[in-house]
Amino acid sequence: MMKSSAETAERVKALTEKLEAGVKEVFESEKYKTYLKAMSRFHHYSFGNIMLILMQCPEASLVAGYTTWKKQFGRTVKKGEHGIQIIAPVKRSKLVSQDKLDPDTQQPVMGPDGKPEKEPVFVQVQGFQVAYVFDVSQTEGRELPSLGVDELTGEVPNFNAMFSAVEAISPVPVEFRPASAAKGCFNHLEWKIYVNEGMSQVQTLKTLIHEMAHALLHDSSVLDDEIPKKDRHTKEVEAESIAYVVCQHFDIDTSDYSFPYVTGWSRGKELPELKASLECISKTAAGMIDSVEKRCLELTKSTTEKDSKNAFHRETHNADVR
């Protein structure tokens, strides 16, 4: 049965209030780390919907709507399973009265009283509704194809490809430097990222992504003067969080890192400021993940084509020799 607009609005309001209560709570202790792991799995969702998924189903690993599971993956939701509520945008048609326009001049048609004539028209308005998704654990059916890259542990087997892909999307040049106290830095004056030599592959990638986040978000030379300035601690929380999300998405083990300073950073912050940072982290990490995946595919395709050409030339050469 169709729900009225008032009922829909009330349900969205209740879910929004639940979300805002959870935003403050997420910064406590290990909950922030858990949230970032969820963000790495669901980077195409808004920060708010990631929060809602995590709050209702902390163990969720892959979610989709009922129809998507059935049509795209050949899986059905198990009987008795309850959906995970999220907030989804929806466009609705609304009947409004507006000035009648002359089809030739596009000017208002004036009535006998000298005022513009009115006509009823349908317009599209943006609204929101409660939608439902289900975790893969709530479904059954066809086996899922392997997702993402191969599992990466220790020294990151495809380190060169990953580093090349990340470096290629960097907004500024990347350069290695002799080891120093800081593992890396984004130099505002030189507009360059420096990364220490001799670090582990995991640390090298994580540091590069961390400094790229600074270059993307915190370069004072390109920021709008009207945008509120962020303190150093906030910048570090955002950069470290983005690096953690991106690394987690590609199964790069960064479990040795924790975020004990987040609780102190968030204490006393107002809800809008906390939400702004989460939105910033979510949006930036999602963009990085998509760009790295696209670049990895391009590099893989280029390597495959190069290998094919080399194989062809070798065969041609061998045939000539024979």
Side-chain angles (χ1 to χ4, degrees):
M1 187 175 75
M2 292 288 289
K3 291 182 171 59
S4 67
S5 298
E7 288 177 312
T8 299
E10 189 61 33
R11 293 176 70 214
V12 170
K13 181 175 180 290
L15 207 54
T16 302
E17 289 174 350
K18 183 178 181 181
L19 167 63
E20 293 192 347
V23 169
K24 286 263 187 182
E25 187 181 353
V26 81
F27 286 98
E28 297 176 5
S29 187
E30 289 294 303
K31 290 183 179 179
Y32 186 65
K33 193 171 183 179
T34 303
Y35 172 78
L36 292 184
K37 286 184 178 178
M39 188 185 289
S40 75
R41 293 194 295 268
F42 311 123
H43 71 284
H44 285 131
Y45 285 84
S46 68
F47 101 90
N49 280 332
I50 295 172
M51 279 285 300
L52 289 172
I53 292 168
L54 180 61
M55 291 164 69
Q56 296 168 77
C57 187
E59 69 278 6
S61 61
L62 179 64
V63 299
Y66 185 95
T67 303
T68 300
W69 277 124
K70 190 172 184 179
K71 290 187 175 180
Q72 294 188 20
F73 297 99
R75 297 179 69 86
T76 55
V77 175
K78 298 175 186 176
K79 188 175 181 179
E81 291 289 349
H82 296 285
I84 302 166
Q85 293 182 321
I86 62 172
I87 298 174
V90 60
K91 288 187 177 180
R92 294 190 176 93
S93 293
K94 182 179 180 181
L95 186 64
V96 299
S97 177
Q98 67 179 31
D99 292 349
K100 184 177 181 180
L101 301 179
D102 184 286
D104 296 323
T105 65
Q106 292 300 303
Q107 296 299 312
V109 175
M110 308 305 290
D113 59 357
K115 296 181 180 179
E117 292 185 7
K118 300 291 184 179
E119 63 178 352
V121 295
F122 284 98
V123 296
Q124 293 288 315
V125 294
Q126 178 75 60
F128 295 91
Q129 66 180 13
V130 175
Y132 294 87
V133 293
F134 298 84
D135 183 56
V136 62
S137 63
Q138 298 175 286
T139 68
E140 57 189 2
R142 193 171 67 206
E143 285 296 312
L144 290 174
S146 59
L147 301 174
V149 298
D150 293 336
E151 184 176 351
L152 303 174
T153 58
E155 294 188 345
V156 190
N158 61 346
F159 172 76
N160 290 334
M162 274 295 297
F163 186 89
S164 296
V166 175
E167 183 182 23
I169 68 167
S170 174
V172 298
V174 177
E175 187 175 310
F176 281 98
R177 69 179 183 187
S180 63
K183 294 180 175 65
C185 75
F186 165 55
N187 190 307
H188 295 257
L189 298 177
E190 297 182 31
W191 216 52
K192 184 181 291 186
I193 288 173
Y194 288 101
V195 178
N196 285 4
E197 297 174 336
M199 297 191 298
S200 71
Q201 294 175 349
V202 171
Q203 184 63 62
T204 297
L205 274 174
K206 184 177 178 64
T207 299
L208 175 56
I209 296 168
H210 178 111
E211 300 307 331
M212 279 175 57
H214 281 313
L216 287 167
L217 300 175
H218 308 138
D219 183 0
S220 58
S221 66
V222 297
L223 291 178
D224 192 323
D225 290 336
E226 296 182 2
I227 297 176
K229 297 294 187 292
K230 298 176 181 178
D231 59 56
R232 183 177 181 277
H233 206 169
T234 298
K235 293 176 182 179
E236 287 303 314
V237 167
E238 290 180 350
E240 183 66 10
S241 299
I242 289 164
Y244 185 88
V245 170
V246 176
C247 287
Q248 284 290 320
H249 178 81
F250 291 105
D251 297 323
I252 298 173
D253 183 10
T254 56
S255 58
D256 288 341
Y257 283 82
S258 61
F259 303 90
Y261 51 86
V262 172
T263 303
W265 167 78
S266 62
R267 190 178 295 119
K269 294 281 193 298
E270 295 297 321
L271 183 62
E273 187 175 356
L274 295 177
K275 288 174 68 176
S277 276
L278 287 181
E279 287 174 340
C280 175
I281 292 164
S282 179
K283 182 178 179 180
T284 306
M288 278 184 154
I289 289 168
D290 287 340
S291 296
V292 170
E293 286 181 335
K294 181 180 178 182
R295 186 61 181 167
C296 279
L297 286 174
E298 291 172 352
L299 289 171
T300 301
K301 182 180 178 182
S302 175
T303 301
T304 302
E305 290 176 349
K306 184 178 179 180
D307 289 345
S308 297
K309 288 180 181 178
N310 289 339
F312 172 77
H313 288 311
R314 284 196 297 272
E315 285 297 316
T316 303
H317 173 74
N318 290 339
D320 290 340
V321 171
R322 289 195 296 266

